[in-house]
């Protein structure tokens, strides 16, 4: 921040942040720049700029699904905007409605959505924002199961969007409509989607196309055509594998796909994807997603008889659920609890049986000892009586004593047998103890030997590992130096190209209109190459360019360069990386095609003009680049081999440079198609050993 120029510094932060594309990976960087500008506006008491910056930060947090932070910034922006008397707050109200809907507060979501609609109608706003607003209000009504209101707003959104012609948005809204139709008639839902797809076709990787595939999978499941539904499921999982880890569309795919897998008893496959979905849901902190995940865990564990885990997940689900258990779920939960308690008691009984047997044996032994003591006592009493008796009594007593002795001998014999049994048992135990001791000594000796061998191997690995580690450090230093040199080269090339652009800009001051146009075209071409080198020195991989990030930035630059306002740009680029030798020709081709469309395809007084740029892989591993417009097309006598100016010749020549095929079509506008095979990137080439 330069002294005396804080306002300009803050505005520069905003300009730099706005220059980034809306791709999700760029949003954290935008937030950092906005938050640097915010305290400057607060210090300058510039309420209008402060409110605008707060809104931009909140909008960026929505993009990365951090709805709690988004709500905080958007509410601050609303408070300041209302205090300054700002009227056009429809987008701010709409964003707050979205935030509260995803945070599970549908009442607030509907309140702010309807407020946005009211403001838009008062201001007679007819922009493409209206269709998005109606769509979001429909989503909120759907979250509270007001199907009638949801369908009403979805239809209003579709009617408005068909006026603007955004095919992706049309398909997305149609998916929401089909969802409501499917509640009563899944077949009608499928027919409706097929009519929309036929009228407004989409590329395979388009977000709206993914949502349509999800809808078709659900509807075919409802009409019990599981085979067709499985094909959609497999295709959706394949699409998710090709997405970046941070792409929020992954969670959109995981939710219905996991439900389908559980419903068709594919539990192991569901277990593979459910943790990935849970990780994304916990990061986004959306209550409805977290509740659904606990329900899926409960269903999987129940089916696989993991009852304790199932009960734990069901308890978590019940805490997240806004309503009471329904009768079916409560019964299922009770049965699981009873089954688990039964298994638990069975285990306890097994352990108690062993304890009871030991106690019974102790009781029998004590009983025998008591019997022996009783006999000893009886003999003592008899002897005392014998000393005081007469002879006859003595003889009689002797006879009875003899009988008693016989009984006593029998008892003692039984005691001797019992002692022998105890002795044999003690001997067996002694032998068992001796055997156990020998096993322990042998095992300890083997363990000591293995520890010695292991320690020796460990020392050898440590020595060899140190040598390898030293070599790796040297190699990493060399790699870092080379990467730094490459980045420095790209940085200097980019600076030199920017210098060329500045020189052309200076020269244009002294030129006529035709020459000025030629200079501007040259500036754009140089900027195309400059942007490539800027991407290379900013990226970790200095040998390839991410076209999904590069081409939208190029289109944004051209739109600002020509200052076009009546042309809608639809950019749909698959996640593709090209090396520099192909990235620069592709960028120049896109530059020439868009420049020609802006200059020659449209009349100045018209509107609803569209330029579409798409790049996606084909089944044969080639890439297809399409640049099309809905302008007046080429003249009737145009011949591709003989007609055309420098731009067309340049595009054909650049196509030859990348060994591609060039096609030009002028039916309902102009369409340029380039088909080429991407080079194998350096870091993917097999390395020589």
């Amino acid at each position: 921040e330069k002294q005396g120029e804080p306002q300009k510094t803050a505005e520069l932060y905003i300009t730099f942040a706005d220059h980034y594309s809306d791709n999700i990976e760029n949003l954290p960087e935008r937030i950092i720049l906005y938050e640097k500008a915010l305290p400057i506006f607060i210090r300058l008491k510039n309420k209008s700029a402060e409110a605008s910056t707060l809104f931009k930060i909140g909008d960026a947090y929505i993009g990365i699904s951090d709805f709690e932070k988004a709500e905080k910034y958007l509410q601050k922006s609303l408070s300041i905007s209302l205090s300054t008397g700002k009227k056009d707050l429809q987008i701010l109200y709409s964003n707050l409605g979205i935030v509260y809907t995803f945070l599970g507060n549908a009442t607030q979501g509907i309140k702010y959505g309807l407020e946005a609609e009211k403001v838009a109608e008062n201001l007679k706003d007819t922009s493409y924002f209206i269709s998005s607003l109606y769509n979001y209000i429909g989503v909120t009504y759907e979250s509270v199961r007001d199907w009638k209101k949801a369908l009403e707003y979805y239809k209003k959104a579709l009617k408005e969007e068909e006026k603007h012609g955004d095919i992706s948005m049309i398909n997305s809204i149609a998916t929401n409509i089909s969802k409501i139709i499917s509640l009563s008639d899944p077949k009608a839902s499928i027919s409706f989607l097929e009519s929309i797809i036929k009228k407004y076709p989409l590329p395979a990787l388009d977000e709206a196309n993914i949502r349509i595939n999800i809808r078709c999978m659900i509807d075919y499941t409802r009409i019990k055509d599981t085979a067709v539904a499985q094909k959609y499921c497999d295709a959706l999982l394949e699409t998710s594998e090709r997405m970046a880890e941070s792409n929020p569309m992954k969670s959109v795919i995981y939710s219905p796909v996991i439900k389908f897998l559980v419903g068709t008893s594919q539990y192991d496959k569901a277990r593979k994807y459910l943790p990935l979905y849970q990780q994304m849901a916990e990061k986004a902190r959306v209550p409805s997603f977290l509740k659904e995940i606990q329900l899926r865990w409960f269903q999987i564990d129940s089916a696989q008889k993991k009852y304790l885990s199932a009960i734990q997940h069901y308890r978590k689900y019940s805490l997240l659920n806004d309503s009471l258990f329904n009768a079916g779920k409560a019964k299922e939960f009770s049965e699981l609890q009873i089954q688990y308690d039964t298994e638990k008691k069975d285990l306890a009984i097994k352990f108690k049986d062993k304890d009871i047997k030991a106690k019974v044996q102790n009781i029998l032994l004590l009983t025998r000892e008591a019997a022996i003591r009783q006999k000893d006592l009886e003999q003592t009493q008899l002897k005392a009586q014998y000393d005081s008796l007469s002879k006859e009594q003595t003889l009689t007593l002797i006879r009875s004593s003899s009988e008693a002795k016989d009984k006593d001998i029998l008892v003692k014999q039984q005691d001797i047998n019992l002692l022998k049994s105890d002795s044999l048992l003690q001997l067996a135990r002694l032998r068992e103890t001796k055997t156990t001791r020998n096993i322990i000594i042998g095992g300890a000796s083997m363990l000591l030997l293995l520890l010695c061998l292991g320690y020796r191997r460990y020392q050898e690995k440590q020595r060899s590992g140190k040598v390898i580690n030293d070599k790796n450090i040297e190699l990493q230093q060399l790699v870092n130096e080379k990467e730094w040199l490459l980045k420095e080269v790209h940085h200097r090339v980019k600076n030199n190209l920017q210098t060329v652009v500045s020189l052309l800009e200076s020269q244009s001051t002294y030129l006529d209109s035709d020459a000025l146009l030629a200079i501007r075209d040259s500036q754009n071409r140089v900027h195309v190459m400059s942007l490539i080198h800027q991407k290379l020195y900013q990226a970790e991989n200095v040998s390839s360019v991410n076209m999904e990030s590069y081409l939208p930035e190029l289109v944004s630059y051209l739109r600002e360069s020509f200052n076009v306002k009546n042309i809608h740009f639809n950019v749909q680029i698959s996640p593709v990386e090209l090396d520099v030798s192909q990235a620069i020709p592709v960028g120049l081709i896109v530059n020439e095609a868009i420049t020609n469309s802006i200059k020659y395809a449209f009349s100045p007084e018209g509107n609803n003009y569209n330029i579409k740029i798409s790049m996606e892989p084909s089944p044969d591993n080639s890439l297809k680049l399409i640049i099309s417009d809905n302008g007046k097309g080429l003249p009737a006598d145009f011949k591709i081999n003989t007609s055309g100016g420098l731009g067309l010749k340049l595009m054909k020549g650049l196509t030859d440079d990348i060994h591609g095929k060039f096609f030009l079509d002028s039916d309902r506008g102009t369409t340029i198609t380039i088909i080429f095979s991407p080079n194998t990137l350096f870091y993917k080439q097999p390395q020589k050993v």
Side-chain angles (χ1 to χ4, degrees):
E1 181 181 335
K2 296 181 180 179
Q3 188 174 1
E5 297 182 348
Q7 180 73 26
K8 289 183 179 180
T9 302
E11 289 172 355
L12 279 174
Y13 283 137
I14 300 296
T15 302
F16 288 148
D18 290 342
H19 182 69
Y20 283 95
S21 68
D22 291 332
N23 292 338
I24 192 169
E25 61 267 19
N26 292 330
L27 294 178
E29 188 65 31
R30 289 175 70 171
I31 291 171
I32 291 171
L33 291 169
Y34 289 143
E35 289 183 337
K36 286 184 177 180
L38 182 61
I40 300 175
F41 289 135
I42 294 173
R43 191 167 70 249
L44 295 174
K45 298 183 179 179
N46 188 339
K47 293 294 183 181
S48 176
E50 181 185 350
S52 174
T53 307
L54 287 166
F55 170 79
K56 289 175 182 287
I57 297 173
D59 190 54
Y61 274 119
I62 291 176
I64 59 176
S65 299
D66 193 339
F67 300 107
E68 291 182 355
K69 287 185 179 178
E71 188 262 346
K72 182 180 73 172
Y73 282 99
L74 292 175
Q75 280 291 2
K76 286 183 181 178
S77 176
L78 178 62
S79 176
I80 296 171
S81 298
L82 291 173
S83 68
T84 58
K86 186 176 174 61
K87 301 296 183 184
D88 53 335
L89 299 174
Q90 59 270 38
I91 299 179
L92 178 53
Y93 281 127
S94 176
N95 279 7
L96 279 167
I98 296 166
V99 166
Y100 283 116
T101 298
F102 277 99
L103 288 175
N105 191 340
T107 304
Q108 287 291 90
I110 293 173
K111 170 189 170 184
Y112 282 106
L114 295 178
E115 189 65 30
E117 181 185 16
K118 177 182 175 183
V119 173
E121 288 177 353
N122 290 338
L123 296 176
K124 297 181 179 180
D125 187 348
T126 58
S127 66
Y128 62 86
F129 159 76
I130 296 300
S131 60
S132 298
L133 172 61
Y134 289 150
N135 187 51
Y136 287 134
I137 296 175
V139 170
T140 308
Y141 274 118
E142 184 183 335
S143 70
V144 294
R145 300 175 179 242
D146 191 339
W147 314 122
K148 185 178 178 181
K149 277 286 187 184
L151 186 59
E152 175 189 335
Y153 274 97
Y154 285 150
K155 287 183 175 179
K156 288 169 71 174
L158 182 61
K159 182 179 178 181
E160 287 294 327
E161 193 54 50
E162 285 184 319
K163 295 178 184 178
H164 298 286
D166 188 332
I167 295 174
S168 180
M169 189 64 181
I170 289 171
N171 279 269
S172 181
I173 297 169
T175 306
N176 291 337
I177 293 174
S178 72
K179 191 191 307 181
I180 307 299
I181 296 173
S182 177
L183 294 172
S184 56
D185 192 348
K187 288 184 178 179
S189 171
I190 294 171
S191 299
F192 172 72
L193 282 177
E194 287 175 348
S195 67
I196 290 292
I197 295 169
K198 186 176 180 181
K199 189 176 180 181
Y200 303 105
L202 281 171
L205 292 177
D206 189 277
E207 180 179 318
N209 191 63
I210 292 171
R211 293 182 185 276
I212 286 178
N213 288 340
I214 292 172
R215 192 70 252 154
C216 289
M217 180 189 71
I218 294 170
D219 288 340
Y220 275 110
T221 304
R222 285 181 175 172
I223 63 174
K224 303 190 184 306
D225 194 342
T226 310
V228 176
Q230 185 67 51
K231 290 180 181 179
Y232 280 104
C233 174
D234 295 340
L236 287 164
L237 288 174
E238 183 181 350
T239 300
S240 72
E241 297 290 344
R242 296 163 63 185
M243 292 178 174
E245 290 299 324
S246 58
N247 194 327
M249 279 304 295
K250 278 200 165 191
S251 62
V252 175
I253 292 174
Y254 286 150
S255 176
V257 163
I258 292 170
K259 182 179 180 181
F260 173 78
L261 292 173
V262 173
T264 53
S265 302
Q266 300 178 65
Y267 303 117
D268 290 335
K269 200 169 184 179
R271 279 187 181 276
K272 175 183 176 182
Y273 294 100
L274 192 52
L276 303 177
Y277 181 32
Q278 184 170 0
Q279 185 178 358
M280 298 184 75
E282 287 172 350
K283 186 176 180 182
R285 289 178 287 185
V286 180
S288 59
F289 293 171
L290 296 172
K291 179 185 75 173
E292 177 196 3
I293 287 164
Q294 294 302 325
L295 178 60
R296 298 290 171 251
W297 278 123
F298 163 72
Q299 291 169 336
I300 294 170
D301 287 338
S302 300
Q304 295 186 332
K305 298 182 180 179
K306 299 180 180 180
Y307 301 118
L308 182 58
S309 177
I311 291 168
Q312 291 172 349
H313 285 298
Y314 202 90
R315 285 171 177 165
K316 291 179 182 178
Y317 166 74
S318 66
L319 291 174
L320 293 167
N321 197 359
D322 295 330
S323 59
L324 297 173
F325 291 134
N326 58 47
K329 291 298 178 186
K331 182 180 178 182
E332 191 174 0
F333 175 77
S334 299
E335 289 173 354
L336 283 172
Q337 183 68 59
I338 292 166
Q339 192 164 355
Y340 170 69
D341 289 340
T342 302
E343 291 179 0
K344 186 176 173 184
K345 287 177 182 177
D346 289 342
L347 290 172
I349 288 169
K350 288 179 183 178
F351 286 114
K352 284 182 179 179
D353 284 346
K354 294 180 181 179
D355 190 38
I356 289 169
K357 287 179 182 178
K359 288 182 178 179
V360 168
Q361 290 176 351
N362 291 334
I363 290 169
L364 290 173
L365 185 61
L366 290 171
T367 303
R368 286 173 183 155
E369 289 177 358
I372 292 169
R373 288 177 181 174
Q374 181 65 29
K375 291 295 180 181
D376 290 340
L377 181 62
E378 288 175 356
Q379 287 177 0
T380 303
Q381 290 174 349
L382 284 170
K383 187 177 180 182
Q385 291 174 357
Y386 175 76
D387 292 338
S388 61
L389 290 176
S390 63
K391 291 183 177 179
E392 288 184 1
Q393 290 174 331
T394 302
L395 291 172
T396 305
L397 189 58
I398 288 171
R399 293 190 193 98
S400 16
S401 176
S402 176
E403 292 174 358
K405 283 181 180 178
D406 290 340
K407 292 181 180 179
D408 187 43
I409 290 169
L410 183 62
V411 172
K412 288 184 177 180
Q413 184 64 41
Q414 290 176 347
D415 292 339
I416 290 168
N417 292 335
L418 181 62
L419 288 172
K420 286 181 178 179
S421 298
D422 289 342
S423 177
L424 290 172
L425 181 62
Q426 290 290 339
L427 183 61
R429 287 177 178 173
L430 184 62
R431 288 175 180 172
E432 184 181 354
T433 303
K434 190 175 181 180
T435 303
T436 304
R437 182 193 64 190
N438 292 337
I439 291 171
I440 291 172
I441 292 171
S445 301
M446 289 296 295
L447 180 61
L448 182 61
L449 179 60
L450 289 173
L451 286 173
C452 292
L453 292 173
Y455 181 70
R456 185 175 177 182
R457 290 290 300 276
Y458 170 75
Q459 286 183 321
E460 291 176 358
K461 283 188 176 181
Q462 285 288 96
R463 286 193 293 270
S464 60
K466 186 176 184 303
V467 174
I468 293 170
N469 188 51
D470 292 341
K471 292 289 184 183
N472 285 339
I473 292 172
E474 292 178 8
L475 289 173
Q476 187 60 45
Q477 288 175 346
L478 290 173
V479 169
N480 291 339
E481 289 175 4
K482 288 185 178 181
E483 286 185 352
W484 180 84
L485 288 171
L486 279 173
K487 288 189 176 184
E488 184 65 19
V489 168
H490 286 301
H491 185 60
R492 291 180 183 274
V493 170
K494 179 254 181 185
N495 287 344
N496 291 337
L497 290 172
Q498 289 293 341
T499 303
V500 173
V501 172
S502 299
L503 291 173
L504 291 172
E505 180 68 28
S506 301
Q507 191 65 30
S508 65
T509 309
Y510 307 99
L511 297 176
D512 297 330
S513 58
D514 292 340
L516 183 61
L517 290 174
I519 288 293
R520 177 180 290 180
D521 290 344
S522 299
Q523 281 181 298
N524 290 342
R525 290 164 186 153
V526 173
H527 184 79
V528 170
M529 295 182 284
S530 171
L531 193 56
I532 289 281
H533 290 284
Q534 179 180 332
K535 285 288 180 186
L536 287 171
Y537 81 75
Q538 287 179 344
E540 291 183 5
N541 181 9
V542 296
S543 62
S544 63
V545 180
N546 186 340
M547 303 308 287
E548 187 182 21
S549 171
Y550 166 65
L551 288 181
E553 285 194 31
L554 175 59
V555 172
S556 177
Y557 166 77
L558 291 173
R559 179 170 52 194
E560 293 176 4
S561 176
F562 285 97
N563 193 24
V564 291
K565 297 181 179 179
N566 61 338
I567 301 175
H568 175 70
F569 290 86
N570 185 1
V571 184
Q572 298 174 1
I573 309 299
S574 299
V576 174
E577 289 190 6
L578 296 178
D579 63 18
V580 181
S581 65
Q582 287 186 320
I584 289 178
V586 168
L588 289 170
I589 289 170
V590 172
N591 172 71
E592 295 300 324
I594 293 176
T595 301
N596 286 344
S597 294
I598 293 172
K599 285 182 177 179
Y600 309 116
F602 310 117
S603 57
E605 64 277 2
N607 53 19
N608 289 334
Y609 292 137
N610 293 309
I611 296 178
K612 181 178 177 181
I613 305 96
S614 67
M615 176 185 282
E616 62 180 10
S618 300
D620 60 353
N621 295 325
S622 63
L623 289 177
K624 182 185 287 187
L625 172 66
I626 301 175
I627 308 105
S628 62
D629 62 56
N630 62 347
K632 58 188 178 182
L634 298 172
D637 57 348
F638 184 87
K639 295 181 180 179
I640 188 170
N641 294 325
T642 58
S643 304
L646 175 61
L648 182 59
K649 292 178 182 178
L650 186 58
M651 284 189 284
K652 290 166 66 178
L654 291 167
T655 303
D656 291 338
D657 289 345
I658 61 175
H659 306 291
K661 296 178 182 179
F662 182 86
F663 302 95
L664 184 63
D665 182 30
S666 187
D667 182 21
R668 297 181 183 178
T670 302
T671 301
I672 295 171
T673 304
I674 311 291
I675 300 175
F676 66 99
S677 297
N679 295 336
T680 302
L681 299 177
F682 175 77
Y683 64 89
K684 293 185 179 180
Q685 293 177 359
Q687 301 298 313
K688 295 181 180 180
V689 181

